[in-house]
Structures are given as C-alpha cells and as structure tokens.
Amino acid sequence: MRFWFGLFVPKGTPAPVIQKLHDATVAAMDTPAVQERLSQAGATAVAPERRSPAYFQQFVGSEIEKNAKPIKAAGIALE
C-alpha cells in the first residue's frame, strides 16, 4: 500500500507558502519515526518524484476528470 499525504490550500496561495508547506511535510514524512509507523501499517510513502505540488495538482485534476462522468451519470449531487 502506498501512502500519499496531500495538502489542499486556498486558490491563490502564494507559491513560496506552498513550497514551505511541502518541504516541511516531506521532511516529516521522511523521518525514521514516520517511516516506521508507515511500515507497521503495511504502507510506504510515495516515491519522491511523485511528491511535488505540481504532481499532486495534476493527479487531483486527473482524478476529478476521470470520475466526473460516472458521478454525473449516477445523478450524484452535492447537498
């Protein structure tokens, strides 16, 4: 099992703020304590090349696009 921790921030959040949050999150995820907890849960963190803010934004966008049609076809709507 792969563990992915992503943060969502308000649109327009300055890039330096996003980068600082990203760097702190990655640093925490790479600590031995967190790695041990993930291992105990049978999980591993995603590969470093899949941790960037740009990659996460692209991933979320592709998931929304992939799931939009079946959700609409099923008549699911926000309440």
Side-chain angles (χ1 to χ4, degrees):
M1 170 192 339
R2 296 273 182 221
F3 180 77
W4 186 322
F5 183 82
L7 297 175
F8 290 87
V9 296
K11 186 175 184 176
T13 300
V17 172
I18 292 170
Q19 192 62 49
K20 188 171 185 174
L21 287 168
H22 170 265
D23 293 346
T25 301
V26 168
M29 294 297 297
D30 287 341
T31 63
V34 171
Q35 291 296 315
E36 177 63 23
R37 294 286 289 222
L38 289 173
S39 178
Q40 290 171 355
T44 58
V46 296
E49 64 271 11
R50 297 176 63 193
R51 295 181 183 181
S52 73
Y55 185 92
F56 187 62
Q57 183 177 12
Q58 180 275 326
F59 173 78
V60 170
S62 69
E63 289 297 296
I64 290 169
E65 184 178 317
K66 178 175 77 175
N67 291 295
K69 189 173 181 178
I71 289 170
K72 288 178 185 174
I76 299 170
L78 292 174
E79 294 182 10

